[in-house]
Amino acid sequence: MKAWFYPLYWFLRKECRQLYRNLDVRILIVLFPNIILLVVPFAADYTVKDLRVVVVDHDRSAYSRAACQRIESSGYFLITKTAPTIDEAEKFIKNEDADMILEIYHGFNQDRAGSYKGLSIQTDAMNAVKAALAGTYMQGVLADYFNTMTEAAPALAQIDIKKAYWFNPSQNYPFFMVPGLIAYLVTIVPIYLTTIMLVREKENATIGQLELTPLGPFRYLIGKFFPVWVITVVLFFYGLLIGYLIYGIVPKGNIAIVCLFLGPYVVISQLMAALIAYVSKTQLMALLIAFFFMLNFILLCGIFTPVSSMPTWAAKTATLIPVTVFVELCRAVMMRGTGLEGTGLIFRQLLMVFVPLFALTWFCYVYKRK
Amino acid sequence: MNELMIFAGKEWRHVLRDPVTLLIVLLLPVCALFIFGYALTNELNEVPVTVVDLGNNQLDAELLLKVNDSPYFETKYFPYDLRTMEDLFLNGELKGAIVLPPDFETKLYKNARPQALIVTDGCDPNAARQISAYLERLLLEYSNSLVPIGFSSLNIQNQMLYNPGLKSQFTFIPGVMAVVFMIICSVITAMAIVREKEKGTLHMMVIAGAKPVYIYYGKALVYVVIALVMFIMIQAISVMVIGLPFRGSVWLGFLMGILFIAASLSCGLMLASLTSSQNTILFLTLFVMITPTMLCTGFIVPVENMPIVLRWFCLLIPSRWFYIGMQRVMFQGQGLTGIWFQVMVLVAMTGAFTGFTLYKLKNSLK
């Protein structure tokens, strides 16, 4: 038993020292997580607010002014400009000085029939989500205005609708971003670090020397994985700490559930890294491949673009990406307070990735070497 | 000029000798484009929602059908009470629900302003607001079809400019293009130079009498050509395969592309003049550069909502200017008058990067 651990001990010692000495690794461990955790949540605010409206008022009556006032007081819109003609207004849109044009025709308040022709809206639809929400808000505000202005209709809307936003009633963006970003960090950092540590050995041709030692492929991988694994776990708790200290995020559920998944999850990322390192000869190649994965991960993992709004096939593919699954787990436990019994699906999804990855790595590193 | 071409020729051979890296560099943006062209949308798509009827209303089955008909939603679960609904929300299997109180129907027919509750999983605030706005509209439309009162379903003509289909590709494709170009161009140029620095061959050439400026820009010349090929390829794919419109002048788009490539390459040259280790370059570009580039280009995160300091920072990112200019040319069909400022900024950035590089070269490699 001791004879088995002895080479591993020396190998681990070498790995730790190399990690410690490496300047780039320090950049990666210190700079990268802090950029992600301290800048991104402040920057990523998707709230659709202060939509800038250009009004083209052909009516110029007290009614049209009242309508404009109603629009401004709704809280979603700012009337920033007025223009005499629609062409003038469109210039504002082209220069990105406005998001929306509201055209009020002459005598718009005379017509009180249901389908309304006295007004028209034009929305800058370059950003599809914003345009869709802006349109919905505008329709709502104008409907409200006409309901209060028209004597025939009751003064209030027909149904008294209350809205509840569960799990995040204050609609706070960092609450939503930080758990996802922590999950992202504990994926990317081990992928990069492990890839670098493995490929460097190849590029410097020191792997040939290692093959001559009694260290087998299994212990070689353990020695490569373990220090990075520890760093990643520490990073996870650092992320939680930052989340608590800066954004005031207290996990709603039991954080032990995430920890339970964290260990095997980091290994999954490292197995991916081992495969990337296996196919690439140089660090440039390995990092370009890793970069490609990173780009896909960041856009498909549901941090910035919700998985629920992808086409069905893409959403299915996304669940094969371990980051997506882990982001979902972090959010479920930290925001909704999901218990262990609610994580069955996540466990199965992770297992589905783990088994082939493990088999493939085994095949590449252990089986093929014999 | 002759000297420049000699170094370009030398670099060209280097590139040809490493076909795998070249292939990765060429294929990476194309793959990214395909994935994002088809996978990324921001419109809701079959979000699991439900209608919970707390009483014995007759309406809920009909309302469910109506909700299910909408392309945004699907109904998979039919909880009877709030408790089961809560469990479904907790496990993330439901994202939204309309809750009807027992007296909803009677009050609606009596015109007594019934109450209703729309619950959404608020974890993702943006999605939650979208879901709740659409559900509200569905509910109002439905009740209005039963008891037509008021203007609750006002049909104001709403014209979506430039993007009538509300496709998210209009933001994602130019954005991904900008980010991938920026990273790849600066990474490969910088790597090509720093590799020679690390091996010491750069110094040998300098000692042999070559001017470092020619070495640097000769190498960059090759990557300009590769990047241009890549740019044309990507444009062709996004127009012909993904089906994005190209409303403006193609030449103007080409000009934007050349300027942006020049800016990214000169950024890479600047990095190369600052560092002497391949790893540092890789880590700088892939970690330190990618996050700000991703964030500040404006296609993932709306720039207008950022804190003011970050908005200023966004002005320093070349890909942001390319992104805006490209959108204006491709989708809005604007002419040179609409993008002159973006053009000027890119030129200025290229100039600044180049100036810095030349200054560094003058002082370092004597």
Side-chain angles (χ1 to χ4, degrees), chain B residues 81-278:
Chain B
D81 52 3
L82 290 177
R83 204 107 218 127
T84 30
M85 182 182 90
E86 204 180 322
D87 281 344
L88 287 168
F89 266 102
L90 212 54
N91 293 342
E93 283 166 294
L94 263 187
K95 294 285 174 204
I98 301 176
V99 182
L100 302 178
D103 58 352
F104 182 82
E105 200 178 0
T106 41
K107 270 195 172 172
L108 183 71
Y109 283 121
K110 274 191 213 150
N111 206 354
R113 204 158 183 263
Q115 286 186 322
L117 175 70
I118 293 178
V119 181
T120 37
D121 179 347
C123 285
D124 181 348
N126 211 29
R129 241 172 263 164
Q130 230 173 327
I131 294 170
S132 115
Y134 287 155
L135 279 179
E136 182 183 13
R137 198 157 68 182
L138 274 175
L139 180 61
L140 285 175
E141 265 170 27
Y142 177 65
S143 64
N144 216 43
S145 69
L146 294 176
V147 186
I149 285 171
F151 289 108
S152 48
S153 64
L154 202 63
N155 256 330
I156 296 174
Q157 186 204 357
N158 186 0
Q159 189 188 354
M160 294 295 176
L161 295 171
Y162 316 120
N163 183 4
L166 286 184
K167 282 188 191 163
S168 309
Q169 279 94 328
F170 279 58
T171 44
F172 282 124
I173 297 284
V176 170
M177 215 182 324
V179 170
V180 171
F181 255 79
M182 169 112 191
I183 300 293
I184 299 265
C185 284
S186 38
V187 121
I188 50 173
T189 328
M191 281 299 276
I193 293 165
V194 173
R195 193 181 300 140
E196 299 232 27
K197 262 193 192 175
E198 225 176 53
K199 287 185 183 156
T201 41
L202 193 76
H203 278 264
M204 277 162 68
M205 284 189 279
V206 175
I207 291 165
K211 277 190 185 147
V213 182
Y214 289 129
I215 305 176
Y216 270 54
Y217 285 90
K219 278 174 181 288
L221 207 61
V222 175
Y223 294 108
V224 168
V225 175
I226 294 179
L228 269 181
V229 171
M230 217 154 83
F231 179 75
I232 295 170
M233 211 159 67
I234 289 180
Q235 283 297 340
I237 290 175
S238 62
V239 173
M240 288 173 197
V241 184
I242 298 175
L244 293 184
F246 202 113
R247 300 201 178 106
S249 140
V250 178
W251 293 109
L252 219 52
F254 202 62
L255 174 76
M256 261 339 259
I258 290 179
L259 285 176
F260 180 56
I261 287 167
S264 320
L265 285 179
S266 50
C267 178
L269 289 177
M270 185 179 74
L271 286 175
S273 72
L274 284 171
T275 46
S276 51
S277 133
Q278 289 190 57

Side-chain angles (χ1 to χ4, degrees), chain A residues 56-319:
Chain A
V56 183
D57 187 354
H58 299 299
D59 191 54
R60 291 171 191 279
S61 64
Y63 291 116
S64 69
R65 276 198 294 279
C68 289
Q69 246 167 30
R70 175 62 69 95
I71 288 166
E72 276 220 300
S73 63
S74 71
Y76 298 120
F77 302 100
L78 291 175
I79 296 179
T80 47
K81 301 261 170 20
T82 50
T85 60
I86 199 85
D87 291 337
E88 293 277 310
E90 224 166 296
K91 273 187 197 150
F92 290 122
I93 295 252
K94 278 195 168 167
N95 289 327
E96 278 160 41
D97 288 329
D99 303 304
M100 218 175 189
I101 304 171
L102 174 69
E103 196 172 12
I104 305 176
Y105 298 115
H106 184 64
F108 83 108
N109 212 47
Q110 313 294 311
D111 180 4
R112 278 162 193 172
S115 114
Y116 211 78
K117 299 240 158 49
L119 294 159
S120 80
I121 314 169
Q122 294 189 2
T123 316
D124 178 10
M126 291 294 250
N127 183 342
V129 185
K130 197 169 157 188
L133 268 179
T136 316
Y137 289 156
M138 190 53 114
Q139 299 263 0
V141 171
L142 289 174
D144 220 34
Y145 166 77
F146 282 111
N147 280 331
T148 46
M149 291 305 286
T150 321
E151 300 84 8
L156 294 162
Q158 193 178 9
I159 304 175
D160 176 19
I161 296 178
K162 297 252 179 341
K163 289 180 178 176
Y165 299 100
W166 278 6
F167 312 123
N168 188 2
S170 56
Q171 299 278 285
N172 184 333
Y173 257 101
F175 271 41
F176 171 65
M177 296 301 289
V178 171
L181 291 173
I182 293 175
Y184 183 65
L185 271 183
V186 300
T187 317
I188 289 304
V189 170
I191 287 190
Y192 270 102
L193 279 185
T194 319
T195 316
I196 284 291
M197 295 311 282
L198 284 166
V199 177
R200 190 169 289 172
E201 211 86 62
K202 249 187 180 172
E203 209 177 3
N204 297 342
T206 42
I207 190 151
Q209 292 167 7
L210 278 171
E211 275 171 8
L212 294 175
T213 61
L215 196 80
F218 188 61
R219 276 175 289 177
Y220 173 69
L221 282 184
I222 291 183
K224 288 280 177 198
F225 280 10
F226 188 69
V228 176
W229 190 88
V230 173
I231 289 173
T232 315
V233 172
V234 172
L235 211 60
F236 175 77
F237 287 103
Y238 175 72
L240 285 184
L241 189 74
I242 291 279
Y244 175 70
L245 289 179
I246 294 185
Y247 307 102
I249 299 172
V250 181
K252 223 181 222 165
N254 191 350
I255 204 71
I257 299 171
V258 185
C259 294
L260 202 68
F261 278 90
L262 180 69
Y265 175 72
V266 176
V267 177
I268 291 183
S269 317
Q270 291 185 310
L271 289 175
M272 281 196 277
L275 289 174
I276 294 174
Y278 184 77
V279 295
S280 40
K281 285 194 197 92
T282 58
Q283 291 186 48
L284 172 65
M285 223 167 120
L287 281 182
L288 277 179
I289 299 176
F291 167 70
F292 177 66
F293 278 108
M294 181 175 168
L295 191 72
N296 287 323
F297 285 174
I298 204 168
L299 291 174
L300 290 177
C301 68
I303 294 181
F304 294 109
T305 49
V307 180
S308 59
S309 59
M310 288 175 195
T312 320
W313 64 268
K316 287 238 166 71
T317 320
T319 57

Side-chain angles (χ1 to χ4, degrees), chain B residues 283-305:
Chain B
F283 275 86
L284 269 181
T285 38
L286 294 185
F287 291 110
V288 183
M289 258 171 74
I290 184 164
T291 317
T293 323
M294 277 267 194
L295 278 182
C296 297
T297 302
F299 76 108
I300 301 188
V301 177
V303 172
E304 64 266 23
N305 282 355

